[in-house]
Amino acid sequence: MASITGSVSPFNETEDTWQAYAERLEHLFLANEIDSEAKKRAVLLSSMGVKPYKLLSNSVAPRKAGECSYTEIVDVLKNHHNPRPSTIVQRFKFNTRVRDACESIRTFVAELKKLSKFSPLCRNLLINGTAVKFQIDTGASLSVMNKKTFVEKVNIPLKPSSKVLKTYTGENVQICGEAEVTLHGKPDTTSKFYRARQPPYALREAIVEELSRLQRDGIVEPVDHSDWATLIVPVRKQDGTVRMCGDYKITVNKVCKGDDHPILRIEDLAYALSGGDKFTKLDLSQLQLDEESRKYTTINTHKGLFTYHRLCSGISAAPGIFQRTMEGVFRHVSGCVNYLDDVSVTGKNDEDHLRNLHKVLSICEEKGLSLRRDKCEFMQQEVTFLGYRLDKNGVYPLADKIKAIRDAPTPNTQELRSFLGLVNFYGKFTPNVSQVLAPLYQLLRQGQRWC
């Protein structure tokens, strides 16, 4: 009997994968010129070991293992040891994979490549009537296309770009050009134009001053004509100035495609900043709009028509666009989180805090993002977010809100609804809040008698 060159040890699932084991067997067959299916089956069954043989016998019962072909045996054990992974699970593993402290860049990239087999989510987008396949990355601040695809399928004029893009390992990515944010309207939409309302005389001077400031800062510009125009909603602020927003729910929000990117909650902010000692808040300016999109933002005032150059508040798609974009911009900075245009930075100590802050400011400089210095707070012991106070020990309700609850006068039905809304806003701080408020909710029922 001729001896076999080489050998294959019994299969051990804790040290080997079935695919690799089967490949080693194929090399053994090649070295010994074994072509017969029967001989391959015999070598496999005699080499695999007791545990795999028992598993195979149970899987193919009532037939015997020796009655199966070599290919069938390999497939049965492959399906058991290497079932097709769940695409959703594999995408989750890819998106949450982080580099270990002792892991080299080369090893980390190799692991990402292995996980990326199941990770990409792709969609076809229409660009100038041509379908272009894009891979979705919800954390990316920009959509990137290689030059060959751009020339073949899009080939539209681009503006020069001052942005700096880098690969994960730090190499610069050459940029041919860029396009700005575009608001996409639904097809077959009709423009909407509303005549200006005359504001109260007490607000007129403040509105004029705010319009002058917005022009001076390059945020708005006057226009002589527009097919789109909405009314303004002026709100007096504590310092006597006016916050001016367009009432876009009656115009562009009816036709503008929304952006459903999730907006962070106070719990998300608190978790992201946990472990921090002091806190910095930076107020970002809004994103620039391209020429075509600016017409949708036109406001009609008693001083004429003005269009915004920036993605302004009041547009339904604006929060999602801004949150998604800024998350992508600052995604690699530790101790940093943004809620729309508010970027918060922290660190476990002053040195760590300043290092993270330097990274954030450097990114702002690279990306051309501007800040409002009068709204920025640096190295504070505590900051306020969304009606809460946050410090290194946790999250607390604001003192003035608690005072408003304690000092609330006896309400009527409508005032009671407002009162319950305020109490429920801080419900997480009150044990058994639903039981405590149950008698008050009873009073909201129709026909309920008040004592």
Side-chain angles (χ1 to χ4, degrees):
M1 178 178 177
S3 60
I4 294 181
T5 303
S7 63
V8 177
S9 58
F11 176 66
N12 186 343
E13 61 181 336
T14 62
E15 298 177 353
D16 203 355
T17 64
W18 178 255
Q19 182 177 352
Y21 186 80
E23 289 175 358
R24 286 164 51 211
L25 273 175
E26 291 294 336
H27 289 298
L28 179 69
F29 298 150
L30 180 64
N32 292 276
E33 298 181 350
I34 299 176
D35 298 324
S36 168
E37 284 288 315
K39 286 187 177 181
K40 287 184 177 182
R41 177 181 61 197
V43 173
L44 174 57
L45 291 176
S46 61
S47 303
M48 67 171 52
V50 176
K51 188 176 179 180
Y53 190 90
K54 184 178 180 180
L55 172 64
L56 174 64
S57 298
N58 293 335
S59 300
V60 300
R63 292 188 299 163
K64 295 181 179 181
E67 296 175 354
C68 301
S69 67
Y70 169 78
T71 302
E72 185 179 359
I73 294 172
V74 171
D75 289 342
V76 168
L77 293 177
K78 177 182 177 181
N79 291 333
H80 175 81
H81 291 288
N82 303 102
R84 179 171 179 81
S86 165
T87 301
I88 295 175
V89 171
Q90 294 304 309
R91 286 173 182 162
F92 174 79
K93 289 181 178 180
F94 177 84
N95 292 327
T96 56
R97 179 66 162 87
V98 294
R99 181 186 169 199
D100 295 332
C102 300
E103 188 176 32
S104 68
I105 293 285
R106 188 182 299 275
T107 303
F108 178 60
V109 172
E111 288 296 314
L112 286 180
K113 287 182 178 179
K114 183 173 72 173
L115 292 171
S116 67
K117 179 180 179 181
F118 296 93
S119 64
L121 279 171
C122 299
R123 292 291 185 272
N124 285 325
L125 301 180
L126 285 177
I127 301 180
N128 280 6
T130 302
V132 181
K133 187 176 182 179
F134 281 88
Q135 180 176 317
I136 297 174
D137 181 356
T138 58
S141 59
L142 298 172
S143 294
V144 182
M145 183 185 300
N146 65 61
K147 184 176 181 180
K148 181 180 178 182
T149 303
F150 177 82
V151 172
E152 291 177 353
K153 296 192 174 184
V154 183
N155 204 22
I156 58 176
L158 290 176
K159 299 179 181 179
S161 176
S162 60
K163 292 183 172 61
V164 178
L165 298 181
K166 294 182 181 293
T167 65
Y168 185 84
T169 52
E171 292 87 359
N172 286 329
V173 177
Q174 184 179 359
I175 302 175
C176 300
E178 66 175 83
E180 295 175 310
V181 174
T182 302
L183 296 176
H184 297 282
K186 297 177 182 177
D188 303 324
T189 57
T190 304
S191 60
K192 297 182 182 298
F193 185 97
Y194 287 83
R195 293 185 178 276
R197 292 175 182 166
Q198 294 301 314
Y201 285 100
L203 291 177
R204 290 195 178 194
E205 184 177 349
I207 290 173
V208 172
E209 291 178 358
E210 178 66 5
L211 287 171
S212 298
R213 184 192 70 81
L214 294 175
Q215 284 184 258
R216 186 171 60 252
D217 294 344
I219 298 174
V220 302
E221 69 171 342
V223 293
D224 296 328
H225 169 78
S226 176
D227 293 329
W228 292 82
T230 192
L231 308 173
I232 62 170
V233 182
V235 179
R236 178 81 73 175
K237 297 192 290 187
Q238 291 183 352
D239 61 1
T241 60
V242 165
R243 181 192 305 277
M244 197 167 55
C245 300
D247 187 9
Y248 294 111
K249 68 177 182 293
I250 61 176
T251 56
V252 66
N253 286 352
K254 291 185 175 182
V255 298
C256 182
K257 295 180 180 178
D259 190 303
D260 298 326
H261 188 81
I263 307 300
L264 300 185
R265 305 166 301 162
I266 183 62
E267 292 84 0
D268 302 318
L269 297 171
Y271 177 79
L273 298 173
S274 61
D277 182 55
K278 296 177 182 177
F279 305 91
T280 291
K281 280 180 65 176
L282 305 175
D283 188 88
L284 291 171
S285 297
Q286 291 284 7
L287 299 174
Q288 292 285 336
L289 287 172
D290 64 9
E291 290 284 349
E292 179 63 23
S293 297
R294 292 175 186 174
K295 64 183 181 182
Y296 298 111
T297 68
T298 305
I299 54 175
N300 204 348
T301 75
H302 71 290
K303 300 297 290 184
L305 298 170
F306 295 82
T307 60
Y308 279 87
H309 288 188
R310 297 180 183 175
L311 187 64
C312 48
S313 58
I315 295 177
S316 57
I321 292 174
F322 202 91
Q323 184 69 28
R324 171 171 45 80
T325 303
M326 292 303 105
E327 283 181 5
V329 169
F330 300 112
R331 63 187 303 187
H332 296 304
V333 182
S334 59
C336 174
V337 65
N338 76 287
Y339 176 80
L340 302 180
D341 57 353
D342 284 332
V343 178
S344 299
V345 185
T346 189
K348 56 188 178 182
N349 51 48
D350 286 357
E351 182 182 359
D352 188 40
H353 188 141
L354 291 173
R355 181 167 52 249
N356 294 336
L357 180 58
H358 182 266
K359 291 180 181 178
V360 170
L361 294 177
S362 297
I363 290 174
C364 290
E365 184 177 15
E366 286 182 8
K367 305 294 185 182
L369 300 173
S370 57
L371 306 172
R372 291 195 61 178
R373 175 63 183 87
D374 59 317
K375 289 191 173 183
C376 295
E377 305 173 34
F378 296 92
M379 306 290 286
Q380 300 294 307
Q381 296 291 342
E382 62 179 38
V383 288
T384 58
F385 274 117
L386 306 175
Y388 295 89
R389 177 173 60 87
L390 185 146
D391 64 18
K392 64 180 181 180
N393 297 315
V395 179
Y396 310 91
L398 295 179
D400 59 337
K401 301 293 186 183
I402 296 300
K403 185 177 185 301
I405 293 174
R406 288 174 175 170
D407 298 344
T410 303
N412 56 33
T413 302
Q414 186 58 42
E415 291 169 342
L416 178 58
R417 293 183 189 275
S418 300
F419 175 80
L420 289 172
L422 180 57
V423 174
N424 276 312
F425 183 77
Y426 289 135
K428 59 175 67 66
F429 299 101
T430 305
N432 304 316
V433 64
S434 58
Q435 296 180 20
V436 174
L437 297 179
L440 295 179
Y441 277 109
Q442 291 282 349
L443 297 176
L444 295 178
R445 294 184 177 180
Q446 189 173 1
Q448 187 70 32
R449 181 178 179 183
W450 291 47
C451 296

